[in-house]
Amino acid sequence: MKKSIFLAAGLFFSISTQAQLLDIIKSTVKDKTGVDLNVPVKNNGTTSTTTNTGINTPKTTNNSSSTNVNLGSLTSTQISSGLKEALNIGVTDGVKKLAVTDGFFRNEAVKILMPEKLRKIDTTLRSIGMGSLADEGVKLLNRAAEDAVTEAAPIFTKAITSMTITDAKNILLSSDNAATNYLQTKTQSQLFSAFQPKVKASLGKVGADTVWKNLISKYNTFTGQSVTTDLNEYVTTETINGVFKMVADKESGIRNTPAMRTTSILQKVFGAQDNK
């Protein structure tokens, strides 16, 4: 019994002595440095709170001026709406930039070049001093695209509206142009079918069909060959790819630049993906 009493007394003395030593250390630090260890310390966005154990435990605070949205609070419908909004904006802005003179022709990212199977025509014509005819042929392909693309916006918008994004969350958290790639995969064939008549009309409107018929005829006469190509199919495909390129650039901008999120749904959805 006496042994237990002595042990308890010794333990109490030890704890009391440690507390006194801790008070002495705190007092000395305050005298020498002016730092009061009993006052919570704020540093780099964290607030230290002193617990009853004497150990400082960091408590994180958010000093950001913008509120980051928890992705878990978003529904699939909200995410889908945000992705579609980004695609619609990309189409609208992209078509606006492409549907002007030189919109395709002076934009190296989307410029329509000589069809690959006809590039030997380009080489041959230039070798006999008819390079200007080849240049005119390429320019008119781009002029046809610039004219036809004015009809693209409602066709793309319809495709986006009817598209069901079944894995919206994964698309949101994926690569910079994941939504554009998804749209292209799901709608390429229907876009081609709807857009091809527009391109055919534009090829005739700008005179590209006549120039190319003359160009190919001269080549066939000179070489004794019989080269043909479906310019309508080629220009339709290249025009659609050009629009997708512009949409992908816009999507990437919205994902990475908060200032480009011009609507509340874009701010909410893509603000959430900032924390991925």
Short mmCIF file of all heavy atoms in Angstrom, two decimals, residues 16-82:
data_model
loop_
_atom_site.label_atom_id
_atom_site.label_comp_id
_atom_site.label_asym_id
_atom_site.label_seq_id
_atom_site.Cartn_x
_atom_site.Cartn_y
_atom_site.Cartn_z
N SER A 16 4.03 17.31 -12.54
CA SER A 16 4.06 18.70 -12.08
C SER A 16 5.35 19.36 -12.51
O SER A 16 5.37 20.51 -12.96
CB SER A 16 3.91 18.73 -10.56
OG SER A 16 4.03 20.06 -10.09
N THR A 17 6.46 18.62 -12.38
CA THR A 17 7.77 19.17 -12.77
C THR A 17 7.81 19.45 -14.26
O THR A 17 8.30 20.49 -14.70
CB THR A 17 8.89 18.17 -12.41
OG1 THR A 17 8.86 17.93 -11.00
CG2 THR A 17 10.26 18.75 -12.80
N GLN A 18 7.26 18.51 -15.10
CA GLN A 18 7.24 18.71 -16.56
C GLN A 18 6.42 19.95 -16.92
O GLN A 18 6.81 20.74 -17.81
CB GLN A 18 6.64 17.49 -17.26
CG GLN A 18 7.55 16.27 -17.20
CD GLN A 18 6.92 15.08 -17.90
OE1 GLN A 18 6.14 15.26 -18.81
NE2 GLN A 18 7.27 13.89 -17.46
N ALA A 19 5.32 20.14 -16.23
CA ALA A 19 4.46 21.30 -16.50
C ALA A 19 5.19 22.59 -16.17
O ALA A 19 5.12 23.58 -16.89
CB ALA A 19 3.15 21.20 -15.71
N GLN A 20 5.92 22.57 -15.03
CA GLN A 20 6.68 23.75 -14.64
C GLN A 20 7.78 24.05 -15.66
O GLN A 20 8.01 25.21 -16.03
CB GLN A 20 7.29 23.55 -13.25
CG GLN A 20 6.24 23.51 -12.13
CD GLN A 20 6.86 23.18 -10.78
OE1 GLN A 20 8.09 23.02 -10.67
NE2 GLN A 20 6.04 23.09 -9.74
N LEU A 21 8.49 23.00 -16.08
CA LEU A 21 9.55 23.18 -17.08
C LEU A 21 8.97 23.75 -18.37
O LEU A 21 9.59 24.61 -19.02
CB LEU A 21 10.23 21.84 -17.36
CG LEU A 21 11.16 21.32 -16.25
CD1 LEU A 21 11.67 19.92 -16.61
CD2 LEU A 21 12.34 22.27 -16.07
N LEU A 22 7.78 23.25 -18.81
CA LEU A 22 7.15 23.74 -20.04
C LEU A 22 6.80 25.22 -19.90
O LEU A 22 7.01 26.01 -20.83
CB LEU A 22 5.89 22.93 -20.33
CG LEU A 22 5.13 23.31 -21.61
CD1 LEU A 22 6.02 23.16 -22.85
CD2 LEU A 22 3.88 22.44 -21.77
N ASP A 23 6.31 25.61 -18.69
CA ASP A 23 5.99 27.02 -18.47
C ASP A 23 7.24 27.89 -18.52
O ASP A 23 7.23 29.00 -19.05
CB ASP A 23 5.29 27.20 -17.11
CG ASP A 23 3.87 26.65 -17.12
OD1 ASP A 23 3.31 26.53 -18.24
OD2 ASP A 23 3.33 26.36 -16.04
N ILE A 24 8.34 27.36 -17.95
CA ILE A 24 9.60 28.11 -17.96
C ILE A 24 10.10 28.31 -19.39
O ILE A 24 10.54 29.39 -19.77
CB ILE A 24 10.68 27.36 -17.12
CG1 ILE A 24 10.29 27.39 -15.63
CG2 ILE A 24 12.06 27.99 -17.33
CD1 ILE A 24 11.16 26.53 -14.75
N ILE A 25 10.00 27.22 -20.21
CA ILE A 25 10.45 27.30 -21.62
C ILE A 25 9.62 28.33 -22.38
O ILE A 25 10.14 29.16 -23.12
CB ILE A 25 10.33 25.92 -22.30
CG1 ILE A 25 11.37 24.97 -21.69
CG2 ILE A 25 10.54 26.04 -23.81
CD1 ILE A 25 11.21 23.52 -22.16
N LYS A 26 8.30 28.29 -22.20
CA LYS A 26 7.42 29.24 -22.88
C LYS A 26 7.74 30.67 -22.48
O LYS A 26 7.77 31.59 -23.31
CB LYS A 26 5.95 28.93 -22.57
CG LYS A 26 5.44 27.65 -23.22
CD LYS A 26 3.97 27.44 -22.87
CE LYS A 26 3.42 26.19 -23.56
NZ LYS A 26 2.00 25.96 -23.23
N SER A 27 8.00 30.88 -21.18
CA SER A 27 8.29 32.22 -20.68
C SER A 27 9.60 32.73 -21.25
O SER A 27 9.72 33.89 -21.64
CB SER A 27 8.35 32.18 -19.14
OG SER A 27 8.71 33.46 -18.63
N THR A 28 10.60 31.83 -21.31
CA THR A 28 11.92 32.22 -21.85
C THR A 28 11.81 32.58 -23.32
O THR A 28 12.37 33.58 -23.78
CB THR A 28 12.91 31.05 -21.68
OG1 THR A 28 13.01 30.72 -20.29
CG2 THR A 28 14.30 31.46 -22.22
N VAL A 29 11.08 31.76 -24.10
CA VAL A 29 10.90 32.04 -25.52
C VAL A 29 10.22 33.38 -25.73
O VAL A 29 10.60 34.17 -26.60
CB VAL A 29 10.09 30.91 -26.20
CG1 VAL A 29 9.70 31.32 -27.62
CG2 VAL A 29 10.90 29.62 -26.24
N LYS A 30 9.21 33.66 -24.92
CA LYS A 30 8.48 34.93 -25.06
C LYS A 30 9.38 36.11 -24.75
O LYS A 30 9.36 37.14 -25.44
CB LYS A 30 7.25 34.93 -24.15
CG LYS A 30 6.40 36.20 -24.31
CD LYS A 30 5.13 36.11 -23.47
CE LYS A 30 4.28 37.37 -23.68
NZ LYS A 30 3.03 37.32 -22.88
N ASP A 31 10.25 35.96 -23.68
CA ASP A 31 11.15 37.05 -23.30
C ASP A 31 12.19 37.30 -24.38
O ASP A 31 12.54 38.45 -24.67
CB ASP A 31 11.85 36.72 -21.97
CG ASP A 31 10.87 36.76 -20.80
OD1 ASP A 31 9.80 37.39 -20.95
OD2 ASP A 31 11.18 36.16 -19.75
N LYS A 32 12.72 36.22 -24.97
CA LYS A 32 13.82 36.35 -25.94
C LYS A 32 13.34 36.71 -27.36
O LYS A 32 14.03 37.40 -28.10
CB LYS A 32 14.61 35.04 -26.00
CG LYS A 32 15.28 34.65 -24.68
CD LYS A 32 16.38 35.63 -24.29
CE LYS A 32 17.11 35.20 -23.01
NZ LYS A 32 18.16 36.18 -22.63
N THR A 33 12.19 36.19 -27.74
CA THR A 33 11.76 36.36 -29.14
C THR A 33 10.46 37.15 -29.29
O THR A 33 10.12 37.58 -30.39
CB THR A 33 11.56 34.99 -29.81
OG1 THR A 33 10.44 34.33 -29.20
CG2 THR A 33 12.79 34.13 -29.70
N GLY A 34 9.73 37.28 -28.20
CA GLY A 34 8.44 37.97 -28.31
C GLY A 34 7.32 37.06 -28.77
O GLY A 34 6.18 37.50 -28.94
N VAL A 35 7.64 35.78 -29.04
CA VAL A 35 6.63 34.84 -29.52
C VAL A 35 5.95 34.16 -28.35
O VAL A 35 6.61 33.56 -27.48
CB VAL A 35 7.27 33.76 -30.42
CG1 VAL A 35 6.22 32.73 -30.84
CG2 VAL A 35 7.91 34.41 -31.63
N ASP A 36 4.63 34.29 -28.30
CA ASP A 36 3.86 33.65 -27.23
C ASP A 36 3.38 32.30 -27.71
O ASP A 36 2.53 32.19 -28.59
CB ASP A 36 2.66 34.54 -26.87
CG ASP A 36 1.95 34.04 -25.60
OD1 ASP A 36 2.23 32.90 -25.19
OD2 ASP A 36 1.14 34.81 -25.05
N LEU A 37 3.95 31.23 -27.15
CA LEU A 37 3.61 29.87 -27.59
C LEU A 37 2.20 29.47 -27.21
O LEU A 37 1.70 28.44 -27.67
CB LEU A 37 4.61 28.87 -27.01
CG LEU A 37 6.07 29.03 -27.48
CD1 LEU A 37 6.96 27.99 -26.83
CD2 LEU A 37 6.16 28.93 -28.99
N ASN A 38 1.56 30.25 -26.36
CA ASN A 38 0.18 29.93 -25.98
C ASN A 38 -0.84 30.49 -26.98
O ASN A 38 -2.03 30.18 -26.89
CB ASN A 38 -0.13 30.50 -24.59
CG ASN A 38 0.61 29.75 -23.50
OD1 ASN A 38 0.65 28.52 -23.52
ND2 ASN A 38 1.21 30.50 -22.57
N VAL A 39 -0.38 31.32 -27.92
CA VAL A 39 -1.27 31.93 -28.89
C VAL A 39 -1.22 31.13 -30.19
O VAL A 39 -0.13 30.81 -30.67
CB VAL A 39 -0.85 33.40 -29.18
CG1 VAL A 39 -1.76 34.01 -30.26
CG2 VAL A 39 -0.92 34.20 -27.89
N PRO A 40 -2.38 30.79 -30.79
CA PRO A 40 -2.41 30.04 -32.07
C PRO A 40 -1.62 30.78 -33.14
O PRO A 40 -1.66 31.99 -33.23
CB PRO A 40 -3.90 29.98 -32.42
CG PRO A 40 -4.59 30.12 -31.10
CD PRO A 40 -3.74 31.04 -30.30
N VAL A 41 -0.89 30.02 -33.96
CA VAL A 41 -0.04 30.60 -35.01
C VAL A 41 -0.69 30.41 -36.37
O VAL A 41 -1.15 29.33 -36.70
CB VAL A 41 1.35 29.92 -35.00
CG1 VAL A 41 2.22 30.50 -36.11
CG2 VAL A 41 2.02 30.11 -33.65
N LYS A 42 -0.73 31.47 -37.17
CA LYS A 42 -1.27 31.41 -38.53
C LYS A 42 -0.11 31.48 -39.52
O LYS A 42 0.71 32.37 -39.46
CB LYS A 42 -2.25 32.56 -38.81
CG LYS A 42 -3.50 32.48 -37.97
CD LYS A 42 -4.46 33.61 -38.33
CE LYS A 42 -5.73 33.52 -37.51
NZ LYS A 42 -6.68 34.59 -37.85
N ASN A 43 -0.10 30.54 -40.46
CA ASN A 43 1.00 30.51 -41.44
C ASN A 43 0.58 29.81 -42.71
O ASN A 43 0.15 28.68 -42.68
CB ASN A 43 2.21 29.78 -40.82
CG ASN A 43 3.41 29.81 -41.75
OD1 ASN A 43 3.55 30.73 -42.53
ND2 ASN A 43 4.26 28.81 -41.65
N ASN A 44 0.69 30.54 -43.87
CA ASN A 44 0.42 29.95 -45.18
C ASN A 44 -0.93 29.30 -45.27
O ASN A 44 -1.07 28.16 -45.74
CB ASN A 44 1.50 28.93 -45.56
CG ASN A 44 2.87 29.59 -45.71
OD1 ASN A 44 2.95 30.76 -46.07
ND2 ASN A 44 3.92 28.83 -45.43
N GLY A 45 -1.95 30.00 -44.76
CA GLY A 45 -3.30 29.48 -44.92
C GLY A 45 -3.69 28.44 -43.90
O GLY A 45 -4.71 27.80 -44.03
N THR A 46 -2.84 28.17 -42.82
CA THR A 46 -3.22 27.20 -41.81
C THR A 46 -3.27 27.89 -40.46
O THR A 46 -2.50 28.82 -40.17
CB THR A 46 -2.21 26.04 -41.73
OG1 THR A 46 -0.93 26.57 -41.36
CG2 THR A 46 -2.11 25.33 -43.06
N THR A 47 -4.15 27.46 -39.58
CA THR A 47 -4.28 28.00 -38.24
C THR A 47 -3.97 26.90 -37.26
O THR A 47 -4.58 25.84 -37.31
CB THR A 47 -5.71 28.52 -38.00
OG1 THR A 47 -5.99 29.52 -38.97
CG2 THR A 47 -5.84 29.09 -36.61
N SER A 48 -2.99 27.12 -36.36
CA SER A 48 -2.63 26.11 -35.38
C SER A 48 -3.47 26.30 -34.14
O SER A 48 -3.55 27.41 -33.59
CB SER A 48 -1.15 26.21 -35.01
OG SER A 48 -0.36 25.96 -36.14
N THR A 49 -4.09 25.26 -33.66
CA THR A 49 -4.88 25.31 -32.44
C THR A 49 -4.22 24.46 -31.39
O THR A 49 -3.77 23.34 -31.67
CB THR A 49 -6.31 24.79 -32.70
OG1 THR A 49 -6.22 23.48 -33.23
CG2 THR A 49 -7.03 25.69 -33.70
N THR A 50 -4.11 24.98 -30.18
CA THR A 50 -3.44 24.25 -29.11
C THR A 50 -4.44 23.35 -28.40
O THR A 50 -5.48 23.80 -27.94
CB THR A 50 -2.83 25.23 -28.09
OG1 THR A 50 -1.97 26.12 -28.80
CG2 THR A 50 -2.07 24.49 -27.03
N THR A 51 -4.13 22.08 -28.31
CA THR A 51 -5.00 21.13 -27.64
C THR A 51 -4.56 21.01 -26.19
O THR A 51 -3.52 21.53 -25.78
CB THR A 51 -4.90 19.75 -28.32
OG1 THR A 51 -3.58 19.24 -28.13
CG2 THR A 51 -5.17 19.87 -29.81
N ASN A 52 -5.31 20.24 -25.43
CA ASN A 52 -4.98 20.10 -24.02
C ASN A 52 -3.75 19.23 -23.80
O ASN A 52 -3.32 19.03 -22.68
CB ASN A 52 -6.18 19.54 -23.23
CG ASN A 52 -6.62 18.20 -23.79
OD1 ASN A 52 -5.99 17.66 -24.67
ND2 ASN A 52 -7.73 17.71 -23.26
N THR A 53 -3.17 18.68 -24.89
CA THR A 53 -1.95 17.89 -24.76
C THR A 53 -0.72 18.75 -24.94
O THR A 53 0.40 18.28 -24.78
CB THR A 53 -1.91 16.78 -25.82
OG1 THR A 53 -1.92 17.40 -27.11
CG2 THR A 53 -3.09 15.86 -25.70
N GLY A 54 -0.94 20.05 -25.31
CA GLY A 54 0.19 20.94 -25.52
C GLY A 54 0.79 20.80 -26.90
O GLY A 54 1.79 21.44 -27.21
N ILE A 55 0.19 19.98 -27.84
CA ILE A 55 0.70 19.78 -29.20
C ILE A 55 -0.11 20.62 -30.15
O ILE A 55 -1.34 20.61 -30.12
CB ILE A 55 0.60 18.29 -29.61
CG1 ILE A 55 1.42 17.45 -28.64
CG2 ILE A 55 1.08 18.09 -31.03
CD1 ILE A 55 1.27 15.96 -28.88
N ASN A 56 0.57 21.38 -31.02
CA ASN A 56 -0.12 22.21 -32.00
C ASN A 56 -0.60 21.38 -33.17
O ASN A 56 0.19 20.70 -33.81
CB ASN A 56 0.81 23.32 -32.52
CG ASN A 56 1.04 24.38 -31.46
OD1 ASN A 56 0.20 24.58 -30.60
ND2 ASN A 56 2.20 25.04 -31.52
N THR A 57 -1.90 21.42 -33.46
CA THR A 57 -2.49 20.65 -34.54
C THR A 57 -2.93 21.58 -35.66
O THR A 57 -3.76 22.46 -35.42
CB THR A 57 -3.72 19.87 -34.04
OG1 THR A 57 -3.33 19.08 -32.94
CG2 THR A 57 -4.29 18.99 -35.15
N PRO A 58 -2.38 21.43 -36.89
CA PRO A 58 -2.77 22.33 -37.98
C PRO A 58 -4.23 22.16 -38.36
O PRO A 58 -4.74 21.05 -38.43
CB PRO A 58 -1.86 21.88 -39.14
CG PRO A 58 -0.81 21.01 -38.52
CD PRO A 58 -1.39 20.45 -37.29
N LYS A 59 -4.87 23.27 -38.60
CA LYS A 59 -6.25 23.26 -39.08
C LYS A 59 -6.27 24.04 -40.39
O LYS A 59 -6.00 25.23 -40.41
CB LYS A 59 -7.17 23.92 -38.05
CG LYS A 59 -8.64 23.98 -38.51
CD LYS A 59 -9.48 24.66 -37.47
CE LYS A 59 -10.92 24.75 -37.91
NZ LYS A 59 -11.76 25.44 -36.92
N THR A 60 -6.57 23.37 -41.48
CA THR A 60 -6.52 23.99 -42.80
C THR A 60 -7.68 24.93 -43.01
O THR A 60 -8.82 24.62 -42.69
CB THR A 60 -6.54 22.92 -43.90
OG1 THR A 60 -5.45 22.04 -43.69
CG2 THR A 60 -6.41 23.54 -45.28
N THR A 61 -7.36 26.11 -43.57
CA THR A 61 -8.40 27.06 -43.94
C THR A 61 -8.28 27.36 -45.42
O THR A 61 -7.23 27.18 -46.02
CB THR A 61 -8.26 28.37 -43.15
OG1 THR A 61 -6.97 28.94 -43.42
CG2 THR A 61 -8.39 28.14 -41.67
N ASN A 62 -9.34 27.82 -46.04
CA ASN A 62 -9.36 28.12 -47.49
C ASN A 62 -9.31 29.62 -47.69
O ASN A 62 -10.26 30.33 -47.41
CB ASN A 62 -10.63 27.54 -48.12
CG ASN A 62 -10.64 27.73 -49.62
OD1 ASN A 62 -9.66 28.18 -50.21
ND2 ASN A 62 -11.75 27.35 -50.24
N ASN A 63 -8.14 30.12 -48.20
CA ASN A 63 -7.99 31.54 -48.44
C ASN A 63 -8.27 31.92 -49.88
O ASN A 63 -8.07 33.04 -50.29
CB ASN A 63 -6.56 31.99 -48.08
CG ASN A 63 -6.32 31.90 -46.58
OD1 ASN A 63 -7.24 32.07 -45.80
ND2 ASN A 63 -5.08 31.61 -46.19
N SER A 64 -8.70 30.92 -50.69
CA SER A 64 -8.93 31.18 -52.10
C SER A 64 -10.14 32.10 -52.27
O SER A 64 -11.14 31.98 -51.57
CB SER A 64 -9.18 29.87 -52.85
OG SER A 64 -9.56 30.12 -54.18
N SER A 65 -10.03 33.01 -53.25
CA SER A 65 -11.13 33.93 -53.51
C SER A 65 -12.30 33.26 -54.20
O SER A 65 -13.41 33.75 -54.19
CB SER A 65 -10.64 35.12 -54.36
OG SER A 65 -10.13 34.63 -55.58
N SER A 66 -12.03 32.12 -54.85
CA SER A 66 -13.09 31.39 -55.54
C SER A 66 -13.42 30.13 -54.77
O SER A 66 -12.56 29.51 -54.17
CB SER A 66 -12.65 31.03 -56.97
OG SER A 66 -11.51 30.21 -56.93
N THR A 67 -14.65 29.73 -54.79
CA THR A 67 -15.08 28.53 -54.08
C THR A 67 -14.99 27.33 -54.99
O THR A 67 -15.62 27.29 -56.04
CB THR A 67 -16.53 28.69 -53.58
OG1 THR A 67 -16.60 29.86 -52.76
CG2 THR A 67 -16.96 27.48 -52.81
N ASN A 68 -14.19 26.33 -54.61
CA ASN A 68 -14.05 25.13 -55.41
C ASN A 68 -15.21 24.19 -55.11
O ASN A 68 -15.52 23.92 -53.95
CB ASN A 68 -12.73 24.44 -55.11
CG ASN A 68 -11.54 25.22 -55.64
OD1 ASN A 68 -11.63 25.76 -56.74
ND2 ASN A 68 -10.47 25.29 -54.87
N VAL A 69 -15.85 23.70 -56.14
CA VAL A 69 -17.02 22.85 -55.98
C VAL A 69 -16.59 21.40 -55.83
O VAL A 69 -15.71 20.93 -56.54
CB VAL A 69 -17.94 22.99 -57.22
CG1 VAL A 69 -19.19 22.15 -57.03
CG2 VAL A 69 -18.30 24.44 -57.43
N ASN A 70 -17.19 20.70 -54.90
CA ASN A 70 -16.91 19.29 -54.72
C ASN A 70 -17.58 18.50 -55.83
O ASN A 70 -18.79 18.58 -56.01
CB ASN A 70 -17.45 18.85 -53.34
CG ASN A 70 -17.17 17.38 -53.07
OD1 ASN A 70 -16.56 16.69 -53.88
ND2 ASN A 70 -17.63 16.90 -51.94
N LEU A 71 -16.79 17.74 -56.58
CA LEU A 71 -17.34 17.00 -57.72
C LEU A 71 -18.46 16.06 -57.27
O LEU A 71 -19.41 15.84 -58.01
CB LEU A 71 -16.22 16.21 -58.40
CG LEU A 71 -16.57 15.57 -59.74
CD1 LEU A 71 -16.92 16.62 -60.76
CD2 LEU A 71 -15.42 14.71 -60.25
N GLY A 72 -18.34 15.56 -56.06
CA GLY A 72 -19.35 14.65 -55.57
C GLY A 72 -20.71 15.30 -55.41
O GLY A 72 -21.73 14.61 -55.33
N SER A 73 -20.75 16.63 -55.37
CA SER A 73 -22.03 17.33 -55.21
C SER A 73 -22.75 17.54 -56.53
O SER A 73 -23.89 17.99 -56.55
CB SER A 73 -21.80 18.69 -54.54
OG SER A 73 -21.12 19.57 -55.43
N LEU A 74 -22.07 17.22 -57.64
CA LEU A 74 -22.67 17.40 -58.96
C LEU A 74 -23.35 16.12 -59.42
O LEU A 74 -22.84 15.02 -59.23
CB LEU A 74 -21.59 17.77 -59.98
CG LEU A 74 -20.87 19.11 -59.78
CD1 LEU A 74 -19.77 19.26 -60.83
CD2 LEU A 74 -21.84 20.27 -59.86
N THR A 75 -24.49 16.28 -60.06
CA THR A 75 -25.19 15.12 -60.62
C THR A 75 -24.67 14.88 -62.04
O THR A 75 -24.05 15.75 -62.65
CB THR A 75 -26.70 15.38 -60.68
OG1 THR A 75 -26.95 16.44 -61.61
CG2 THR A 75 -27.25 15.74 -59.31
N SER A 76 -24.93 13.69 -62.55
CA SER A 76 -24.53 13.38 -63.92
C SER A 76 -25.21 14.31 -64.92
O SER A 76 -24.62 14.70 -65.93
CB SER A 76 -24.89 11.92 -64.25
OG SER A 76 -24.13 11.03 -63.46
N THR A 77 -26.44 14.70 -64.60
CA THR A 77 -27.18 15.62 -65.47
C THR A 77 -26.50 16.98 -65.52
O THR A 77 -26.37 17.60 -66.59
CB THR A 77 -28.62 15.79 -64.98
OG1 THR A 77 -29.28 14.52 -65.01
CG2 THR A 77 -29.39 16.77 -65.86
N GLN A 78 -26.05 17.48 -64.37
CA GLN A 78 -25.36 18.76 -64.33
C GLN A 78 -24.04 18.70 -65.11
O GLN A 78 -23.71 19.62 -65.86
CB GLN A 78 -25.09 19.16 -62.88
CG GLN A 78 -26.33 19.59 -62.11
CD GLN A 78 -26.04 19.84 -60.65
OE1 GLN A 78 -25.31 19.08 -60.01
NE2 GLN A 78 -26.61 20.91 -60.11
N ILE A 79 -23.29 17.63 -64.91
CA ILE A 79 -22.02 17.48 -65.62
C ILE A 79 -22.25 17.40 -67.12
O ILE A 79 -21.55 18.04 -67.91
CB ILE A 79 -21.27 16.22 -65.12
CG1 ILE A 79 -20.90 16.38 -63.64
CG2 ILE A 79 -20.01 15.99 -65.95
CD1 ILE A 79 -20.28 15.14 -63.03
N SER A 80 -23.26 16.62 -67.51
CA SER A 80 -23.60 16.50 -68.93
C SER A 80 -23.97 17.86 -69.52
O SER A 80 -23.54 18.22 -70.62
CB SER A 80 -24.76 15.51 -69.11
OG SER A 80 -25.16 15.43 -70.45
N SER A 81 -24.75 18.64 -68.78
CA SER A 81 -25.16 19.96 -69.24
C SER A 81 -23.95 20.88 -69.41
O SER A 81 -23.87 21.65 -70.38
CB SER A 81 -26.14 20.59 -68.26
OG SER A 81 -27.34 19.85 -68.21
N GLY A 82 -23.01 20.79 -68.48
CA GLY A 82 -21.80 21.61 -68.57
C GLY A 82 -20.95 21.25 -69.77
O GLY A 82 -20.43 22.13 -70.47
#
